[in-house]
Amino acid sequence: MRVPVGGNPLRWGAEIALGLYRSVVLTLLTVLLPTVAGFVGFGGSLVAYSWTKGSTAPLAVRALASLGETLVIVVWIAAGVWMVHLLTSRQLAQAARRVTRRWLALELEVSYRPVFPVTRMATGYWWDGVEYQKSEREARRRARMQARFHDPQLHWDGLWGVVAGVTVLPVAALPPLAVAGGGYLIAARGLPLPGVAAIVAGLAAAPFAWRVLRPVAVRFLGTTPQSLFGRRVRQLEAIRADQTQAQVAELERIERGLHDGAQARIVAMGMAMQVAERMVDTDPAAAKAILADARATSAAALAELRSLVRGINPPVLAERGLVDAVRALALDAPVEVTVHSEVPSRVERPVESAVYFAVAELLTNVAKHAHATEVRIELVYRSRTLTATVTDNGAGGAAAAAGSGLSGIERRVKAFDGRLLITSPAGGPTHITVAVPCALS
Amino acid sequence: MRIVVAEDLFLLRDGMVRLVEAYGHTVVAAVDSGPATLEALLSTRPDAAIVDVRLPPTFSDEGLKAALAARQVIPGLPVLILSQHVEQLYARELLADGHGGVGYQLKDRVLDADQFMDALDRVAGGGTALDPTVVAKLLGRPVRADPLATLTERERSVLALMAEGLSNTAIAGKLFLSEGAISKYTTTIFAKLGLAGDEDTNRRVRAVLTYLDAGAGWA
């Protein structure tokens, strides 16, 4: 919390003025629903309680009647608040979000329900997302209404209005009310002492009162819990689409590798052997040379298969698990790499593979771009999360730009609900952490 | 020589047995799983063993584990490990006990029967036979450990060939130098690495170990 620094009256003045301004703004933003409730309640009670005025019925009957009248008033208040809420909640909540962003640097992103694009059906009717309409105009109007009034976010904003009306409003309204009340006491009533006391109290409270906004805003001004689900579903759909794409690309790569590499070489070997078979009696020397060639081809085919296998599922990873596989990577790296591990046993296989390839990619990046002389890899399994941190003493400035290796890693670990954290100031050092929640196997 | 062959794929095992027998050796046991390998190694105490890294039942590094376990019981038991891929990590583990008699090669090397049998002979004789791929990876590493930094370029390449397990004669052939020159180089290397004069084979193994340790990537 920012507290005015002592000994600087100018600074105090600024803080007080700012606080007063913010209190007034918050008051205006939250006062509507309580005011409506107050008016309806007051007016309603004047009307409703007049129904039994002067009645001489027994006490029990009169008590029952006034209970009924109170209920009627409550219903009126609810109806009034509901109507005002439908018409104003969105605008007021958006305005509150703007001041929250400006004053507290709190980003509260929300999305309202979009207007359904109406479509003409083969029957000639128009579909507005809920029902069929005869005319396009009517369908569009209905779609707009639907989007506007049947939006879970709107009702969540309404809840903010109610909650803020009983929490933010009383606190934020206090300083301006005290100052105004003090002024009134001095000017109109000629009571300088209580007036000055009220003004001083109001000014003193001003820098703090508006801060009631943060706790309430954090809880009620964000996205409705319902649409959090929706967002999660969309996120998962995107991940799934990504995964299927990646899988197809991977299979294509493997197929091409086999087709153009090992397969072609084995065909060549078969042909060479056939020729050798035919020549072995007539020209044994040439046959021998051809067979030697064929053997060289088989060695090349094996080498290709080996590198292909390494890209699919590295043998060390299959045989030893993540930690030893990363150690093997470290040994093959062109820079000095130290590996520290706090992983008690093997983790789930898919996570193992994802983290392995992430670390491999990070090491390649270090070798290619960082000009580092020392790299440290830490593998830690703690609170159900596997983290791999790669730290280098290189040039820094790493960022997950679109299409870069880092964004590729990010995409892959996201499929496991994992995260990629990069701190890489220009001049280094660079820390890159891959964290993936998983279970030990 | 009496040889044990451990390989789970029938075709390869059969081919290996025939190859070994064609060179005049006896196969005393041909096994196809990790536990069977350990048993065969301990009960027959062969002159050399050819062991595949990946064996049943887990299809992880059963073969390597069996070989390491057998060498704990019988120090220096010569084993030639074969694998579809070679890793410095495994080479390090194999050489760690410092007894020599260790080979670690790609399965492809079987295609060149002469060289393969030569490697087997070297292993049986207590030497080392590392796959050139492993050695190349070692050579690719930046030099940082002190004893190695003092070696000249030429001495390093001699050491690399030594790591593959070549004799002085063979190294001389590869580098187009006289055998005398090579033996001078090896003496300098041993001196620089602080390996005082004991038996030559053992010193060669220890030189390779020093080389591997220089690349040690973790504490």
Side-chain angles (χ1 to χ4, degrees):
Chain A
M1 190 179 275
R2 216 145 47 95
V3 177
V5 182
N8 191 343
L10 261 181
R11 186 75 190 277
W12 291 0
E15 285 282 341
I16 289 170
L18 188 70
L20 216 50
Y21 162 71
R22 289 183 175 177
S23 301
V24 172
V25 172
L26 281 186
T27 308
L28 292 177
L29 284 178
T30 52
V31 81
L32 186 65
L33 287 187
T35 312
V36 170
F39 263 114
V40 174
F42 180 69
S45 65
L46 285 186
V47 176
Y49 290 128
S50 72
W51 296 337
T52 50
K53 210 168 178 190
S55 162
T56 51
L59 185 69
V61 175
R62 266 187 291 151
L64 214 61
S66 51
L67 185 67
E69 286 159 359
T70 312
L71 278 178
V72 167
I73 295 166
V74 168
V75 170
W76 284 346
I77 293 176
V81 166
W82 178 256
M83 279 188 285
V84 175
H85 144 69
L86 284 182
L87 294 172
T88 62
S89 279
R90 178 167 168 174
Q91 284 76 8
L92 286 175
Q94 286 289 63
R97 269 179 214 117
R98 272 196 298 278
V99 302
T100 313
R101 183 162 52 240
R102 220 174 311 137
W103 299 347
L104 300 168
L106 207 60
E107 288 293 341
L108 297 165
E109 282 297 319
V110 301
S111 51
Y112 289 95
R113 187 168 167 171
V115 178
F116 185 84
V118 300
T119 43
R120 183 154 200 218
M121 310 310 284
T123 51
Y125 283 86
W126 292 82
W127 174 247
D128 67 4
V130 178
E131 38 184 19
Y132 297 101
Q133 306 295 342
K134 274 189 183 155
S135 75
E136 185 184 358
R137 223 178 116 234
E138 179 62 10
R140 285 195 187 286
R141 199 180 65 82
R142 291 292 183 105
R144 268 201 308 278
M145 300 274 283
Q146 193 71 27
R148 179 135 186 224
F149 297 118
H150 291 257
D151 185 350
Q153 184 65 49
L154 176 73
H155 301 313
W156 185 248
D157 286 352
L159 187 61
W160 147 259
V162 171
V163 172
V166 296
T167 53
V168 177
L169 179 67
V171 181
L174 225 50
L177 274 185
V179 172
Y184 170 76
L185 285 181
I186 296 169
R189 291 287 184 85
L191 293 169
L193 220 67
V196 169
I199 290 177
V200 168
L203 292 181
F208 308 102
W210 66 273
R211 292 176 199 276
V212 69
L213 174 63
R214 179 186 277 272
V216 186
V218 166
R219 286 172 186 78
F220 291 97
L221 209 42
T223 305
T224 148
Q226 262 184 62
S227 85
L228 281 180
F229 267 119
R231 197 181 292 176
R232 181 75 179 137
V233 168
R234 279 194 297 279
Q235 208 177 18
L236 290 176
E237 274 171 354
I239 288 172
R240 193 189 58 181
D242 241 29
Q243 287 258 290
T244 29
Q245 286 274 329
Q247 201 176 11
V248 169
E250 186 67 7
L251 286 177
E252 268 175 9
R253 188 182 67 82
I254 295 167
E255 191 270 343
R256 211 174 319 120
L258 286 173
H259 182 267
D260 298 350
Q263 222 170 341
R265 286 185 198 279
I266 289 170
V267 171
M269 270 161 57
M271 288 184 347
M273 282 174 190
Q274 200 182 16
V275 174
E277 202 180 321
R278 209 173 299 158
M279 290 174 74
V280 75
D281 293 326
T282 55
D283 190 350
K288 265 188 187 170
I290 290 170
L291 282 174
D293 264 2
R295 200 172 63 183
T297 310
S298 84
L302 274 174
E304 265 165 21
L305 283 175
R306 198 155 35 236
S307 79
L308 201 61
V309 163
R310 219 174 253 280
I312 301 168
N313 188 23
V316 213
L317 186 63
E319 290 165 6
R320 288 292 184 85
L322 180 65
V323 177
D324 273 357
V326 168
R327 284 187 172 147
L329 265 184
L331 285 172
D332 290 348
V335 285
E336 170 142 11
V337 181
T338 50
V339 180
H340 294 261
S341 160
E342 288 174 39
V343 183
S345 66
R346 291 189 69 167
V347 295
E348 292 170 276
R349 296 297 184 275
V351 173
E352 217 172 37
S353 167
V355 173
Y356 172 84
F357 281 110
V359 171
E361 175 98 36
L362 290 175
L363 272 182
T364 316
N365 279 355
V366 169
K368 256 199 255 169
H369 309 298
H371 309 294
T373 54
E374 268 174 49
V375 181
R376 183 185 160 89
I377 302 177
E378 274 178 88
L379 297 166
V380 178
Y381 183 82
R382 206 170 286 150
S383 41
R384 293 172 168 272
T385 302
L386 176 70
T387 50
T389 308
V390 178
T391 308
D392 71 66
N393 63 350
S404 73
L406 284 176
S407 74
I409 295 174
E410 189 166 30
R411 223 186 37 230
R412 258 175 284 148
V413 299
K414 257 194 185 159
F416 297 91
D417 265 335
R419 278 167 306 137
L420 176 73
L421 305 172
I422 305 169
T423 43
S424 183
T430 301
H431 294 265
I432 299 185
T433 301
V434 176
V436 182
C438 64
L440 294 174
S441 69
Chain B
M1 283 196 292
R2 299 164 61 248
I3 310 279
V4 166
V5 174
E7 162 66 58
D8 57 322
L9 296 176
F10 172 75
L11 279 177
L12 280 178
R13 185 171 67 238
D14 197 44
M16 211 98 74
V17 169
R18 260 190 270 173
L19 178 69
V20 169
E21 285 177 343
Y23 276 75
H25 303 301
T26 331
V27 174
V28 290
V31 291
D32 62 358
S33 79
T37 306
L38 184 57
E39 226 248 60
L41 288 177
L42 294 181
S43 62
T44 64
R45 290 180 171 247
D47 297 319
I50 303 170
V51 180
D52 183 11
V53 166
R54 198 182 286 199
L55 286 178
T58 61
F59 291 100
S60 59
D61 56 348
E62 292 276 319
L64 182 67
K65 282 196 189 123
L68 289 174
R71 279 169 64 87
Q72 283 210 328
V73 181
I74 313 168
L77 177 76
V79 281
L80 175 55
I81 300 285
L82 291 185
S83 174
Q84 293 285 16
H85 63 108
V86 288
E87 303 288 341
Q88 292 183 56
L89 189 74
Y90 294 178
R92 199 180 287 273
E93 290 174 359
L94 278 164
L95 290 167
D97 61 12
H99 286 299
V102 166
Y104 181 39
Q105 305 239 323
L106 274 180
K107 270 191 187 168
D108 315 13
R109 307 298 170 208
V110 182
L111 292 177
D112 192 332
D114 281 340
Q115 269 195 25
F116 179 70
M117 294 313 292
D118 190 40
L120 189 63
D121 284 342
R122 289 203 305 269
V123 170
T128 56
L130 294 189
D131 196 273
T133 324
V134 185
V135 178
K137 282 179 176 174
L138 284 168
L139 271 176
R141 299 183 62 76
V143 186
R144 47 185 170 260
D146 301 323
L148 282 189
T150 61
L151 295 186
T152 64
E153 202 56 35
R154 179 64 91 179
E155 284 160 1
R156 289 187 68 208
S157 47
V158 172
L159 180 54
L161 290 170
M162 229 185 326
E164 277 184 37
L166 298 189
S167 65
N168 281 2
T169 324
I171 296 175
K174 279 222 168 180
L175 297 179
F176 305 107
L177 291 169
S178 74
E179 210 182 317
I182 297 299
S183 108
K184 252 183 228 157
Y185 278 126
T186 52
T187 317
T188 333
I189 293 169
F190 292 150
K192 281 187 177 175
L193 297 184
L195 302 173
D198 48 5
E199 185 211 338
D200 187 59
T201 317
N202 204 350
R203 259 203 303 188
R204 293 173 89 90
V205 173
R206 277 168 49 206
V208 173
L209 270 178
T210 316
Y211 199 86
L212 283 168
D213 280 343
W218 63 91

